[in-house]
Amino acid sequence: MDKTALRRALVAQRLNLPDRAERVRALQQVLRIWLLGRPDTVIGAYWPIKGEFDPLPALHRWKEDGELQSQPVRRRIGLPVIDKTHKTLSFHAWYPGCPMEEDAYGIPKPKDTELIVPTLLLVPCVGYGPGGYRLGYGGGFYDRTLAALQPRPTTVGLGFAPGFIDDFEPEPHDQPLDAILNDHGVVWPV
């Protein structure tokens, strides 16, 4: 399996989805419903690039919903910041309007916000396959981060239905996710 070519094809497909707006709405709803029963108060997410699904609107709503409960719950959202030495990710508090700056890859990250430790981590998927395995961009940041985090957070991949790869073969370093959601619902575990 030529993963470089597969990544390129999946990103191009994702950028050109003719029904993208409908898929985004559906996945926003799937994510919001999936979060309803979760006890987490700190969620790590990502800033969407290359046509990735944007989880931040659903998470902002999740955060606000916590504040509106009869017993208000303080919920926090974190975005990744790259540790250049270890090539892993840490998560820093994000909120709409917080100061941002670009990282070495040109991806926005929170600037000078507090380090937080998520109990639930939303992970972008270029593609995904059986067993909860994902295809990322090939940098290994999430795999290294997940291998190092103690305790390990619950991990949830987010992607669109056309990103499913039925014959995906993980490599030994690939870390399986606990769940994968797409615009049709929960696709892992099945």
Side-chain angles (χ1 to χ4, degrees):
M1 177 178 288
D2 181 353
K3 289 188 177 180
T4 301
L6 182 57
R7 283 182 189 97
R8 198 173 14 244
L10 288 171
V11 168
Q13 176 188 47
R14 185 170 67 196
L15 287 168
N16 295 298
L17 287 170
D19 56 351
R20 180 177 182 75
E22 292 84 12
R23 289 181 184 279
V24 167
R25 275 194 296 278
L27 188 45
Q28 287 284 343
Q29 184 174 7
V30 167
L31 178 57
R32 287 189 57 220
I33 291 169
W34 190 86
L35 287 171
L36 283 176
R38 297 286 314 172
D40 307 281
T41 58
V42 180
I43 296 179
Y46 57 90
W47 190 271
I49 61 170
K50 300 180 183 179
E52 291 172 338
F53 168 73
D54 183 355
L56 297 175
L59 290 180
H60 183 59
R61 180 77 180 265
W62 164 83
K63 182 180 179 304
E64 288 179 330
D65 288 348
E67 295 163 2
L68 297 174
Q69 293 182 20
S70 59
Q71 295 289 326
V73 177
R74 183 172 188 230
R75 294 176 172 171
R76 306 191 69 203
I77 302 164
L79 290 182
V81 174
I82 296 172
D83 177 326
K84 294 176 190 172
T85 305
H86 298 103
K87 298 199 183 306
T88 57
L89 305 171
S90 61
F91 291 83
H92 291 254
W94 173 85
Y95 51 88
C98 84
M100 301 286 282
E101 63 185 353
E102 288 188 356
D103 67 14
Y105 297 95
I107 301 169
K109 66 176 182 174
K111 180 180 180 183
D112 303 325
T113 62
E114 174 187 0
L115 175 69
I116 61 175
V117 179
T119 58
L120 175 64
L121 185 57
L122 302 180
V123 183
C125 297
V126 173
Y128 54 91
Y133 289 97
R134 71 180 272 275
L135 178 68
Y137 294 106
F141 288 99
Y142 279 99
D143 289 321
R144 281 189 295 278
T145 300
L146 293 176
L149 282 177
Q150 292 300 323
R152 179 183 160 129
T154 300
T155 55
V156 180
L158 299 174
F160 297 114
F164 181 74
I165 309 159
D166 61 352
D167 60 346
F168 184 71
E169 295 180 22
E171 295 179 38
H173 65 271
D174 288 338
Q175 298 286 317
L177 303 174
D178 297 306
I180 297 177
L181 309 179
N182 73 16
D183 41 297
H184 295 304
V186 177
V187 294
W188 175 260
V190 289

